[in-house]
Amino acid sequence: MGRWQPESRSRLEQAALALYGERGFEETTVAEIAARAGLTERTFFRYFSDKREVLFGGAGMLQQVLVDAAAVAPATAGPIEVVGCVLDAIGVLFEERRDFGRQRQAIIAASADLRERELIKLATLAAAMADALRRRGVADPVAGLTGEVAVAIFKIAFERWVADDNTQELSLLMREGLAELRAVTSGD
Amino acid sequence: MGRWQPESRSRLEQAALALYGERGFEETTVAEIAARAGLTERTFFRYFSDKREVLFGGAGMLQQVLVDAAAVAPATAGPIEVVGCVLDAIGVLFEERRDFGRQRQAIIAASADLRERELIKLATLAAAMADALRRRGVADPVAGLTGEVAVAIFKIAFERWVADDNTQELSLLMREGLAELRAVTSGD
């Protein structure tokens, strides 16, 4: 998404996030989102199946980027090098999306339902990463473990990235997380 | 739990798991569980707040064991060594609980609601592990990452442990997972 998404979709997204932040996710209606964006409900439903999809509609693309990056990583790359390639690709996807990420994180933190949905999204990503590694010939339990680890690094780096005072790029924070993890697991 | 839980609690647990497996979790009532166990509903509610607690009532004890093991690990232990101590303590907790674990896993796999609840349980455990590490002076992002990693190892080892053909102890599978993870992260 970002600059290359249709302008009306972008306006709807901004209107939705502003309203979820002001009134709460549960209290906001699609009619209000459309009105705030100066568009019709019909236009809203052209881009989003419901108001939750404004927050989770990017999950499919995130998963696709992950799976593709794992597939095109060098044939000689071991599991952890594939994780590095995947995290770099995810970093590119989120470029210029920090404001969206910040608003979204605050909205999700305020709702138990949305927090659950976010956990499901992350579990689905970990499973997709494990499958991508299996397709590269990585056996279990390494494939499963590495899938979980990749998502853990993404999750922790994302939380740092959207923190108020952070100015570092997500890519850098993910690479740092990977390096920290390697340092921790090589220690006692 | 296991051998040292009250006999009526154990009978209720077995009756509940059998019924959830036969009819499905949603379709089973507390009255049916009590009848199958030859006990009253009142006795059921002495041990469990609702029928879901038969499946998730152990989460509090699991978290306590994790937090305690992290607190008493040697002062010189680094984060990953603390994870090892915690996994060992969890292994002891689950001794002789494989049959319960197997039945429970199948029931949870069959229900989207229960799978969500399980994800919340695991996320809560990861947060508790990260907090336990912070109390030992481990800084972020290492504390957060290591909390996620510890739970990933537990999750993957648990899935292997309850697989039909597995005869290895959970402790061993968790130690193996930790070793695999260390091998993966030290590679390319």
Side-chain angles (χ1 to χ4, degrees):
Chain A
M1 282 159 285
R3 284 172 302 180
W4 39 275
Q5 65 181 334
E7 197 238 339
S8 47
R9 185 191 158 106
S10 173
R11 268 162 57 196
L12 286 161
E13 185 182 276
Q14 284 169 34
L17 266 76
L19 285 164
Y20 298 165
E22 289 163 22
R23 305 188 188 176
F25 173 76
E26 292 303 339
E27 289 67 30
T28 302
T29 66
V30 168
E32 289 166 335
I33 297 167
R36 170 80 64 112
L39 295 163
T40 62
E41 285 187 65
R42 189 185 163 132
T43 305
F44 179 93
F45 288 114
R46 195 185 308 154
Y47 295 110
F48 306 103
S49 60
D50 57 33
K51 64 181 182 164
R52 203 171 66 168
E53 189 152 340
V54 180
L55 302 170
F56 290 97
M61 191 187 293
L62 176 55
Q63 182 166 331
Q64 196 58 53
V65 163
L66 177 159
V67 167
D68 291 349
V72 303
T76 54
I80 206 71
E81 204 183 334
V82 176
V83 170
C85 296
V86 164
L87 296 177
D88 288 346
I90 291 177
V92 172
L93 183 69
F94 281 97
E95 270 172 14
E96 317 205 1
R97 293 284 286 168
R98 187 175 343 219
D99 286 345
F100 174 82
R102 270 191 185 139
Q103 289 181 75
R104 181 182 179 281
Q105 194 86 343
I107 292 156
I108 285 173
S111 155
D113 277 357
L114 295 176
R115 289 198 302 273
E116 283 185 30
R117 185 68 194 76
E118 182 76 352
L119 288 176
I120 295 166
K121 185 189 87 176
L122 293 173
T124 306
L125 281 178
M129 181 73 204
D131 279 342
L133 288 166
R134 287 182 196 114
R135 279 195 293 278
R136 294 180 59 92
V138 178
D140 276 303
V142 171
L145 270 171
T146 310
E148 297 287 339
V149 161
V151 170
I153 294 169
F154 167 66
K155 180 186 167 190
I156 300 286
F158 197 91
E159 286 168 4
R160 296 177 70 200
W161 186 57
V162 296
D164 283 344
D165 52 350
N166 195 288
T167 56
Q168 292 169 291
E169 284 304 325
L170 179 61
S171 311
L172 183 76
L173 293 166
M174 290 191 292
R175 279 285 176 182
E176 236 179 67
L178 181 54
E180 296 271 20
L181 182 71
R182 295 181 77 150
V184 163
T185 52
S186 68
D188 293 320
Chain B
M1 284 158 282
R3 285 172 303 182
W4 40 274
Q5 64 180 335
E7 196 238 339
S8 47
R9 184 191 158 106
S10 173
R11 269 162 57 196
L12 287 161
E13 184 182 277
Q14 284 169 34
L17 266 75
L19 286 164
Y20 298 165
E22 290 163 21
R23 304 189 190 176
F25 173 76
E26 291 302 339
E27 289 68 29
T28 301
T29 66
V30 168
E32 288 167 335
I33 297 168
R36 170 81 63 112
L39 294 163
T40 61
E41 284 188 66
R42 190 182 161 133
T43 304
F44 179 93
F45 288 115
R46 196 184 307 152
Y47 296 110
F48 306 103
S49 61
D50 57 33
K51 64 182 182 163
R52 203 171 67 168
E53 188 152 340
V54 179
L55 301 169
F56 291 97
M61 191 186 294
L62 177 55
Q63 182 166 331
Q64 196 57 54
V65 163
L66 177 158
V67 167
D68 290 349
V72 303
T76 53
I80 206 71
E81 204 184 334
V82 176
V83 170
C85 296
V86 164
L87 296 177
D88 288 346
I90 290 176
V92 172
L93 183 69
F94 281 96
E95 271 174 13
E96 317 206 0
R97 295 283 286 168
R98 186 175 345 218
D99 286 344
F100 174 83
R102 269 190 186 140
Q103 289 181 74
R104 181 182 178 280
Q105 195 86 343
I107 293 156
I108 285 172
S111 155
D113 277 357
L114 295 176
R115 288 198 303 275
E116 282 185 30
R117 184 69 195 75
E118 182 76 352
L119 289 176
I120 295 167
K121 185 189 88 176
L122 293 173
T124 306
L125 281 178
M129 181 74 204
D131 279 341
L133 288 166
R134 287 180 196 115
R135 280 195 293 277
R136 293 179 60 92
V138 178
D140 276 304
V142 170
L145 270 172
T146 309
E148 298 287 339
V149 161
V151 171
I153 294 169
F154 167 66
K155 179 186 168 191
I156 300 287
F158 196 91
E159 285 168 6
R160 296 177 71 200
W161 185 57
V162 297
D164 283 343
D165 52 351
N166 195 288
T167 57
Q168 292 170 290
E169 285 302 325
L170 179 60
S171 310
L172 183 75
L173 293 166
M174 290 191 293
R175 278 287 176 181
E176 236 178 67
L178 181 54
E180 295 271 20
L181 182 73
R182 296 181 77 150
V184 163
T185 51
S186 69
D188 292 319

